[in-house]
Structure formats: C-alpha cells, structure tokens
Amino acid sequence: MALATRTDTGHERRPGQKRKPPRKPSFIGSVWRSTIGKKAVMAVTGLIMLAYLVAHMFANLKIFFGPGDLNGYAHWLRTLGEPFLPHEGFLWLARVGLLASVVLHGVAAYQLSRRDLAARPRGYAHQRRRASYATRTMRWGGVILGLFIVWHILDLTTLTVNERAEPGHPYENVVATFSTWYGNTIYIVAMLALGLHIRHGFWSAAQTLGAGRPRRDRALKLAANGLAAILTCGFIAVPIGVMSGVVS
Amino acid sequence: MRLTLRIWRQRGPEEPGALSVYEIEDISPEMSFLEMLDTLNERLILRGEEPVAFDHDCREGICGACGMVINGQAHGPERTTTCQLHMRHFRDGDTIDVEPWRAAAFPVVKDLVVDRSAFDRIIGSGGFVSAPTGSAPEAHATPVPKPVADTAFEHAECIGCGACVAACPNGSAMLFTSAKVTHLNVLPQGQPERESRVLDMVGTMDAEGFGGCTNTGECAVACPKGIPLQSISTMNREFLRASLKNGGRGAR
Ligand code: HEM
Ligand code: FES
C-alpha cells in the first residue's frame, strides 16, 4: 500500500521511539487458542484413541482362543521392539501417547463446552427436540468414558479393585472381572456409551479436520455407524462370553 | 384465523423481559408473518399499548433483517425468512411462541430486535477482496471455472440473518463465517487474502463471544438460504491450512 494512504493500526508511537516488532504468534498457540484449532486437537486425539481401540478390540477377541493365546499376546506386547526398545518399552510409549491424548481431549472438551454454554446464556421458552441422541450425549457420554477409563485401569492394569486377580494372568483376571454383576454392568454401559460417542465422534472429527463434503456425507456417516457398531459388539462379546460360559 | 401469540417483550437491553400473551382475530392466511405482526401492532396502538418492536426491511427475503424464533425454530416452520413465511402454515386456533434470537453475541435491544453488529465486525475483518479502484475491470480478464462460480454463488447467497446462530445450541457463528470464507476463498479474486481472511475472520468470530461448533447441524437446517453444513468443514480446512502456512498470523 502506498505510504500516503497507509493507516497504521499499531500502537501510537512517540517520534524517535523504535517500533516494537510484533510478537510472532506460534502455530501451536494460535491453534489452541481458536475454537477451530482446539476442536482439531480433540479430533486428532479422538482418532488416536479410536485407532487404539480398534487394535484393543481385536486383541481382546483372542480370549475366545483360550488362556494361551491371550496371555501369550500380553507377553508379546511387553517384548515388542526388543532389542531396539527396552522391555515394556513399546507398552510405555503407547501408554504415554494415550495418556496425553485423553488429557488433551478432555481439557479441550471442557474448555470448549464452557465457552459453548456461555455463548447461549438463555435458551428458548419454546423448546424443540434437537439433534440425535448420540450428538446430544457427547459431553456426559465423554465423562462416562473418562470414569470408565480410570476404573478399567484400576481393574485390569493395576489390579487394585480386582479381587482374586494375579499379575501376569490377564485371561484369568478378565474372567474374574466378568464373574461379578457390577463388573459386567460397568463394562457394558461404558461400551454402549463408547458406541454413541464414536457414532457422532468419527463423523464429527472428519468435519473438524476439513474432510467433510456434501457428496461424502453419507459415506462418512455410514463409516461412523459401522465403526461404532463393530467396536461396541466386539468389546461386549467378551463379558457375554464369560457370562454364558463360553470363556471360563 | 384466530391465534394466541406469546411474544417476548423487553423494554431495553438491561430490562428483564418476559413472554406476553395476545389474542388476535381476523388474520388472513394470505398474510405474511410480519403483516400479522403489523396488524397486531396497529391494534395495540389503538388500545394505547406499546407496539412490538421487530426488525424488517426488504420484506422479500433478501436483506436478512427480519429474524425471530417462531415456535422454537429460527424463521418458523418453513425454510424461508420470517417476512416470506405465510400464515397459511399455521392452523386456526394455534398458539404461536415468538422470541428473539438468543446468543451472547446478539444482545437483545428491544422485544424481538437483537444487535447483530458482531456479524459486521466479522465481515470487516476479512470478508472482502482487494481490488484496484477505478473503472470496472473487463469481465473476462479473470476466468472463473463454472463449478467454482457455482460454489461461490451458493455461498454468496448468505444474507447474514443470524438464523444459524439462533438455532445453534452453542450460539456459534461458524455457518455464517464459513459462507463468506468459502465464497471468497474459492474465487481467483479472493486468493491474495486466502490465508489472512480465514485467520482474521475466525479470530474475530471467537473474540465476539460466539461458541464453537459441535457439528449438531441445527444451523444448516435453519438457514433460509440453504448454506450446506459442510461449508464449516471447508472453513476448518482453510483455517488449518492457513495456520500451517502462516503460523497462525493474519493480516492484523
Ligand atoms: C476423557 C473422556 C472423554 C471426554 C470427556 C470426551 C468428550 C468429548 C466431547 C465433549 C466431544 C465433542 C463432542 C461434540 O463436538 O459434539 C468429543 C468428541 C470426540 N471424541 Fe471424545 N471424550 C472422551 C473420550 C473419548 C475416547 C476414549 C475416544 C476414543 C474413541 C473419543 C473420541 C472422540 C472423537 C473421535 C471425537 C470427535 C472430535 C470432533 O468432533 O472433531 N473420546 N469427546
Ligand atoms: S425483511 Fe428482508 S429478509 Fe425479511
């Protein structure tokens, strides 16, 4: 722009005072500060957790092939990557990545939800039913998942709340969990919540990351429903297997 | 037609406000919703009461001034603006609730009138193209492929009425902002500001106190001009691309 027509929007300067160089905003800072960027963090961390859950679900199904298969798999996970990685090295990498994901996901969800509620301080007197069940339950469903993750780790990783559990025997510990009514209830409720969360979440993540197109919408919704159904059924198969005596 | 109207009455921005009930008779089904309100106001004035304040201008569905929430739906039951909504879409004896847009960024001025100038500030921060002034450029100087022209036009249809914000449970302005970002970012004329436009408009949108998007889809259902929900995805893509390219720095 020509100097004569330039309007300086910066701070007023006294003559002779040097112009302060504007601070360069960092990529991470500006992404985290904006509603779109923060949602993108949720989408990426959500997809990381989703990818993990797919692997986790298929691994769990090994329980139907007997104690040898599942316990052998658990042992293999701990030696994976050796000798390049130390014993349990891969496992800890995955744990750190997942912990970071769940924390970022939860913090972003909390901050965005606070903002969203503040942006609509007053509702309408005439209310209509809005959006699908899965869409409306993302926040509370997410909280259920968060609580479940804590219980699940105390139950089958640290074995703190699992009576009759023995370290190094995942097969037997899983059977112990699903031999109690509360173990089954907590787990099945959480998996139904997971299915709903993914039903909206997978499609939503595609929108957030810019992959949404009008002509791709049906395919994305179909994929989200498929993923949600496969994960929910795959995970619930294990307690059903134990309850029905197929796994014991 | 005979109707019971429950209308939000509020004297001023800081006053409390409440729904007031009005019985109204002799309404023709051919009247538009605004004509029905005009009739009510004439009768209120004759009775010495304060008429209901509402915004309107073109009354032909192109200016976006006439927003109000009718029975919980922005612009009422049809996909059109309130001025183009006709009373034949209601039944004799109906009770109709009329409320102003509800969003922190759209404070109520009076009754059904809200202050939508936050939209103007979003547009001011990037909803333009830089063009040399002077005589009009030759129309064929900048070729625009047909699909691009169609996309741009589809999004240029936004009239800034605010129905998307009113319908969104998060009071989010993403559909509005994405309409302008998409309109200008796909066109060759919009390329010089492609990155700064989306960064600055999203920055202003956030600063004005609009909420974020949870992909609820209410906005696109309410939009009288049919801006598609996926336009928000386009804006997200443009925003992430611009952030990667510019390190999140707009023009301002
Ligand atoms: C700590 C527990 C969790 C909380 C509090 C939580 C909460 C949320 C919330 C509030 C949303 C946004 C919903 C919306 O925009 O309507 C969301 C989105 C999402 N969540 Fe979670 N969630 C949790 C755990 C998980 C887990 C374990 C997964 C793994 C599958 C996951 C995957 C996703 C995905 C893929 C999205 C979509 C992101 C997007 O909309 O762009 N979440 N979550
Ligand atoms: S009055 Fe102009 S759009 Fe309704």
Side-chain angles (χ1 to χ4, degrees), chain A:
Chain A
M1 218 185 286
L3 269 180
T5 57
R6 180 149 71 199
T7 44
D8 221 336
T9 51
H11 296 291
E12 292 296 316
R13 273 177 297 147
R14 270 174 281 119
Q17 190 187 351
K18 276 245 182 70
R19 175 202 278 272
K20 268 207 223 115
R23 204 154 55 88
K24 196 176 167 222
S26 71
F27 170 66
I28 293 181
S30 73
V31 161
W32 182 253
R33 265 193 307 276
S34 83
T35 45
I36 294 181
K38 202 168 283 197
K39 197 70 197 290
V41 171
M42 285 191 75
V44 170
T45 52
L47 290 178
I48 290 174
M49 292 190 281
L50 181 59
Y52 161 77
L53 287 180
V54 172
H56 189 24
M57 190 266 303
F58 281 111
N60 284 358
L61 294 180
K62 284 182 181 292
I63 200 156
F64 289 102
F65 300 101
D69 254 60
L70 189 75
N71 292 350
Y73 166 74
H75 178 73
W76 172 77
L77 265 188
R78 282 158 179 76
T79 56
L80 188 65
E82 283 180 25
F84 300 105
L85 290 172
H87 184 66
E88 294 200 346
F90 172 80
L91 200 63
W92 279 101
L93 278 179
R95 283 172 177 169
V96 168
L98 286 170
L99 184 68
S101 295
V102 78
V103 168
L104 280 173
H105 192 85
V107 170
Y110 174 76
Q111 293 183 348
L112 284 173
S113 299
R114 289 263 319 242
R115 190 192 162 89
D116 295 347
L117 294 174
R120 167 57 81 68
R122 172 177 210 128
Y124 294 105
H126 188 117
Q127 286 183 354
R128 297 188 308 121
R129 257 192 57 160
R130 304 181 156 271
S132 72
Y133 188 72
T135 307
R136 283 181 286 132
T137 51
M138 286 304 273
R139 288 174 190 155
W140 284 110
V143 171
I144 291 178
L145 289 180
L147 293 174
F148 170 76
I149 292 170
V150 173
W151 177 80
H152 190 58
I153 290 173
L154 293 177
D155 181 40
L156 287 168
T157 307
T158 66
L159 310 179
T160 319
V161 296
N162 198 342
E163 298 156 20
R164 298 186 289 145
E166 296 167 59
H169 292 84
Y171 183 93
E172 290 75 11
N173 299 341
V174 168
V175 173
T177 290
F178 295 131
S179 306
T180 62
W181 66 267
Y182 55 86
N184 285 316
T185 313
I186 296 176
Y187 191 87
I188 291 174
V189 167
M191 289 310 105
L192 294 174
L194 177 73
L196 286 174
H197 202 78
I198 290 172
R199 182 182 142 98
H200 178 75
F202 179 78
W203 171 81
S204 180
Q207 302 297 314
T208 303
L209 296 177
R213 306 273 191 289
R215 267 188 290 147
R216 202 184 280 168
D217 203 51
R218 271 183 57 132
L220 282 173
K221 284 204 165 119
L222 216 67
N225 287 342
L227 259 174
I230 291 172
L231 279 176
T232 308
C233 295
F235 278 120
I236 288 184
V238 177
I240 302 257
V242 175
M243 277 193 278
S244 62
V246 176
V247 175
S248 57

Side-chain angles (χ1 to χ4, degrees), chain B residues 2 7 11 22 65 85 101 103 105 120 127 129 145 157 159 184 199 201 213 215 221 227 229 231 244:
Chain B
R2 183 199 169 88
I7 303 180
R11 285 171 178 281
Y22 301 94
L85 173 69
W101 285 172
D120 300 340
V129 296
E157 276 195 68
I159 53 177
L184 298 179
L199 293 172
M201 289 181 78
C213 178
N215 292 309
V221 175
I227 305 293
L229 181 61
S231 305
L244 282 170

